[in-house]
Amino acid sequence: MFKLTWPGAGVEWCVRGVVAVCAELIPTVIVAALACGSSAALAQTPTTAPVPDRQGMQDRLAACAFCHGEQGEGDLDRRGGVYPRLAGQPAGYLEQQMRQFVADQRTGIPPVALMRNLLRDLSPDYTQKIAQFYQDETPTYPPLRKYDPVQLQLGRSLVDDGLPAKQVPACTSCHGANLEGRALTTAALAGQNERYLTVQLMHWLQGQRHSELHQHIARALTQQQIEAVSAYLSSLRPANTPEASK
Amino acid sequence: MTRFKSRRGWWWAALVGAVATGLAGTGAAALALAAPPPTPASTPASSQSGTLERGRYLTAIGDCAACHTQAGRPAFSGGRPLPTPYGVFYPPNLTPDRATGIGNWSEQDFYRALHDGIRPDGTYLYPAFPFPSFTHMTRADVDAIWAYLRSVPAVARPNTPNQLNWPYSTRGLMKIWRTLYFNPGPTQPDPKQSAAWNRGAYLVRGVAHCGACHSPRNRLGALIASNEFAGGTITIDGWRAPNISQNPQRGIGNWAAADVRDFLHTGHSQKGDAIGPMREVVQSGLQHLSPADLDAVVTYVKSVPSQPDIVGDAVTRFNLIMSPEGREHARKLYHTECAGCHGDDGRGKPPYPDLRGNPVVQSLDANDLILQILNGGFQATTAANPYPHSMPPFAERLNDDEIARIADYVRHSWGNNAPMVIPPQVAARR
């Protein structure tokens, strides 16, 4: 359900949100269609290999685990913690992002080039299975850091209500009331890496990720507001997920 | 079997000729007037659908799409930049679009392009298009490819002009190049060899044009016939194709026929995996080889005489070795970072490959080894291995010194012996 954040503005943002999501989907659909077209050049030999089980997937994804953790828990400690938590993300969103890396629609710092090299020759079927694997994983969350209550309060108001004066919608209006993401291609934000979230907003600001809506949001917010949003989102924990003891 | 004549050392003569012709400013038009060599008549195809199917098969084995398709664009619509020492080539649109593709070509035009390297307007094709390999194909096979390309969807995409450096930008100079280096086919079978060997030679040296990447080239881009399959000089996306001769140290001399077979069919063998651009070559091409053709290719490849590596980095000129303390540090790094999959003995724990006698590990030029450690990657995704395993990228985890130490350690362990790797080589490839 969409959360209407201010009178009269909610419907408009719902519409704009849907339009923006559709606009983001178009290149993905085109790329997917082309991928199907070109791989159809020779009839695929039917495969007899069994689909790997969870352990089998974990073994195969050693390259991913290096930065994102064996269960996709993300990385908070090593190398600045810019590697996002993949566990629990909607599979559709993960698939979309993997395709965008391959199509050079996400650019910038070196890990992005590494992602392209890793993902470029995977089949659509395997890409989907990898996305599904991470969606289904439920690793523990790291213990919460000590947050500044004032910062958290600012973050909460921005996330829940947006910034109507600057036409910034609430995060909850698209990402779900509990910020758990949505089936199609909307990311889960609750419990995501704080540093990662900040870096992504910077990427939209600098045009390294492409979304008019998010670029608008990143432009409208101050550095302090971006950090507050990232801090608040990282402090949330989806219901029924275990948390490591402190 | 057509024998290429070795003409090493002649590049300078061609270069002098090229410069002289360029300065005289007269060459191009006159040179383009060369009459096309006579071509044998077409053999009638048994059935149209059979021809189409064989064309589709040969187009896959030749992996035409690799160069003639840009990432994210429709198949065969061209435009993928191909950087070379001579400038950037933009392979053209091969779809049947009349205005921008080859929709206005005839079957004869197409054969002339593949067999003679001459375009319908009479101008010369550059050897970035591997016509010196395709010239070995039979008329029937070329016609089958033509039939298949006629059947793909037409895409209107205007060709991007090549951006070549002078004097290479003067297409007419190809006349001189051709006189020096081009021997038109087709290959005659060698009666002393088996039918499988001859079929393998035909595929490897013809449509699959393995030598285009795996054979060294002289300074004018011509393949050096006397060093066939000794490893490439050009790079693709930074990767350099290794020695695939029977050299037991730098090539694949200690691979069993079954290893070569596994490698070509699945992208993975216990002796080594398809990495870099080869991953794509196996995925879209070689994995589709019919069982008989696969056996033929293996038979031929296993017969290629041993060749020394002739391409090395500057560092290979110096006989450097690591100090005992440095080596102990390197051993610990290897044990922590690599032994989990490749084993302390370097044998590899299946499905992770053996590092002993592995051409990527022991190549004179450490380029591909360094790139693989930096970037990691999945094995090829093939029908036989649809859910491949992966190697992590170490670029973010280890510094130049650590990666150089590990690379050097694997090049000097378990009987391996190859030149030292130093940190600047790693830094240059990040």
Side-chain angles (χ1 to χ4, degrees):
Chain A
M1 203 184 89
F2 288 102
K3 184 172 176 182
L4 306 184
T5 48
W6 66 94
V11 175
E12 183 205 352
W13 271 110
C14 274
V15 172
R16 293 183 70 162
V18 168
V19 170
V21 167
C22 290
E24 280 185 48
L25 276 176
I26 289 167
T28 310
V29 171
I30 294 173
V31 168
L34 290 173
C36 292
S38 57
S39 62
L42 207 77
Q44 290 295 312
T45 327
T47 171
T48 50
V51 175
D53 59 9
R54 178 167 172 265
Q55 183 60 48
M57 285 300 284
Q58 225 170 58
D59 292 345
R60 282 165 171 76
L61 303 182
C64 313
F66 220 47
C67 296
H68 294 285
E70 284 208 338
Q71 293 180 268
E73 62 269 28
D75 175 15
L76 295 174
D77 306 325
R78 292 174 299 162
R79 305 185 296 277
V82 294
Y83 299 95
R85 182 182 173 94
L86 304 179
Q89 288 290 350
Y93 168 72
L94 292 174
E95 248 187 290
Q96 180 207 42
Q97 294 307 308
M98 288 196 271
R99 282 200 291 264
Q100 289 192 358
F101 280 119
V102 175
D104 266 342
Q105 289 166 352
R106 288 185 65 170
T107 51
I109 51 176
V112 175
L114 285 176
M115 286 298 286
R116 178 171 185 273
N117 177 62
L118 283 172
L119 302 172
R120 60 195 284 179
D121 291 330
L122 298 181
S123 67
D125 170 45
Y126 196 22
T127 304
Q128 193 272 329
K129 291 215 162 38
I130 293 172
Q132 193 63 46
F133 168 81
Y134 286 116
Q135 178 187 287
D136 295 344
E137 286 297 300
T138 53
T140 54
Y141 280 87
L144 290 175
R145 74 168 176 91
K146 280 200 173 60
Y147 288 97
D148 169 8
V150 180
Q151 188 188 36
L152 275 195
Q153 188 49 46
L154 173 62
R156 176 200 282 270
S157 83
L158 286 163
V159 166
D160 285 350
D161 306 327
L163 206 59
K166 289 186 171 178
Q167 295 198 306
V168 171
C171 303
T172 45
S173 63
C174 288
H175 289 272
N178 297 315
L179 299 151
E180 73 283 19
R182 283 173 187 273
L184 207 48
T185 53
T186 308
L189 301 181
Q192 186 52 283
N193 255 352
E194 182 174 355
R195 180 85 201 287
Y196 168 77
L197 290 168
T198 306
V199 169
Q200 297 317 297
L201 282 159
M202 290 299 154
H203 277 184
W204 277 306
L205 190 65
Q206 295 159 5
Q208 292 165 339
R209 281 186 81 160
H210 306 287
S211 155
E212 273 188 38
L213 180 64
H214 288 95
Q215 189 171 45
H216 165 75
I217 294 169
R219 280 187 181 145
L221 298 181
T222 63
Q223 181 69 27
Q224 186 200 12
Q225 287 169 325
I226 286 176
E227 281 167 11
V229 166
S230 304
Y232 174 68
L233 289 171
S234 73
S235 76
L236 298 174
R237 293 287 178 269
N240 307 323
T241 44
E243 178 156 348
S245 53
K246 294 187 183 183
Chain B
M1 179 109 235
T2 303
R3 281 254 162 247
F4 289 111
K5 293 196 183 82
S6 169
R7 279 158 167 151
R8 290 175 70 190
W10 276 52
W11 63 268
W12 61 266
L15 193 62
V16 170
V19 171
T21 319
L23 288 175
T26 55
L31 291 172
L33 291 173
T39 48
S42 172
T43 43
S46 52
S47 84
Q48 206 180 347
S49 69
T51 304
L52 202 65
E53 206 42 52
R54 196 166 81 248
R56 186 206 296 269
Y57 175 72
L58 292 166
T59 305
I61 302 308
D63 203 4
C64 310
C67 287
H68 288 278
T69 307
Q70 201 176 1
R73 298 291 197 107
F76 306 114
S77 65
R80 174 185 174 167
L82 208 68
T84 71
Y86 317 102
V88 183
F89 290 94
Y90 293 91
N93 185 343
L94 296 187
T95 70
D97 186 64
R98 286 191 168 274
T100 62
I102 57 173
N104 278 334
W105 288 31
S106 68
E107 190 180 75
Q108 175 62 27
D109 288 339
F110 188 71
Y111 181 71
R112 201 172 159 214
L114 267 73
H115 188 264
D116 304 313
I118 298 173
R119 302 196 291 191
D121 63 2
T123 55
Y124 296 118
L125 285 157
Y126 288 107
F129 170 64
F131 68 88
S133 299
F134 298 152
T135 192
H136 297 299
M137 296 174 69
T138 63
R139 175 79 198 225
D141 278 355
V142 174
D143 287 352
I145 293 178
W146 168 250
Y148 171 65
L149 287 176
R150 298 294 285 175
S151 77
V152 307
V155 178
R157 188 203 150 273
N159 289 324
T160 314
N162 295 332
Q163 291 171 350
L164 301 183
N165 312 323
W166 188 87
Y168 312 107
S169 48
T170 309
R171 211 177 258 275
L173 295 178
M174 275 303 297
K175 171 82 173 164
I176 298 168
W177 190 95
R178 293 163 62 93
T179 311
L180 293 171
Y181 305 118
F182 178 50
N183 297 293
T187 306
Q188 298 306 319
D190 182 344
K192 294 196 290 291
Q193 298 284 357
S194 67
W197 185 94
N198 275 302
R199 174 69 179 163
Y202 174 77
L203 290 167
V204 167
R205 303 181 75 224
V207 66
H209 62 286
C210 306
C213 290
H214 285 283
S215 293
R217 291 171 186 266
N218 65 21
R219 292 191 201 186
L220 283 176
L223 297 173
I224 303 170
S226 55
N227 294 97
E228 202 173 17
F229 304 121
T233 33
I234 56 163
T235 57
I236 294 182
D237 296 342
W239 298 78
R240 204 180 61 72
N243 189 328
I244 53 166
S245 76
Q246 286 300 295
N247 185 324
Q249 186 187 8
R250 317 260 186 241
I252 55 171
N254 65 6
W255 290 36
D259 295 322
V260 182
R261 201 190 153 84
D262 286 350
F263 180 94
L264 298 173
H265 186 58
T266 71
H268 164 70
S269 83
Q270 203 36 50
K271 288 292 188 181
D273 286 347
I275 58 172
M278 192 63 190
R279 190 170 61 184
E280 197 269 335
V281 171
V282 169
Q283 282 184 204
S284 43
L286 302 176
Q287 67 155 321
H288 301 297
L289 280 166
S290 69
D293 280 353
L294 179 58
D295 283 341
V297 167
V298 172
T299 303
Y300 176 72
V301 167
K302 283 299 292 174
S303 81
V304 171
S306 175
Q307 292 276 1
D309 269 20
I310 64 169
V311 180
D313 206 296
V315 72
T316 59
R317 290 184 207 147
F318 306 99
N319 191 17
L320 301 170
I321 50 163
M322 210 189 280
S323 67
E325 304 80 55
R327 191 170 158 78
E328 179 55 20
H329 181 195
R331 191 192 62 75
K332 285 181 181 150
L333 274 171
Y334 175 87
H335 176 76
T336 316
E337 304 291 346
C338 320
C341 294
H342 294 291
D344 280 316
D345 54 7
R347 282 170 191 270
K349 302 174 180 173
Y352 305 105
D354 202 332
L355 300 179
R356 304 166 307 160
N358 183 319
V360 169
V361 175
Q362 291 209 81
S363 176
L364 210 53
D365 179 1
N367 180 62
D368 288 10
L369 174 62
I370 295 169
L371 285 180
Q372 182 62 20
I373 298 173
L374 282 171
N375 297 307
F378 282 83
Q379 298 165 332
T381 312
T382 54
N385 187 22
Y387 308 113
H389 286 73
S390 60
M391 167 165 165
F394 286 85
E396 297 283 296
R397 175 151 162 152
L398 301 178
N399 62 31
D400 294 347
D401 180 66
E402 291 165 326
I403 289 179
R405 277 176 199 279
I406 288 176
D408 193 68
Y409 179 77
V410 301
R411 276 158 81 84
H412 289 106
S413 300
W414 325 298
N416 286 352
N417 189 10
M420 190 179 186
V421 179
I422 55 174
Q425 289 175 291
V426 180
R429 289 168 175 88
R430 279 191 186 267

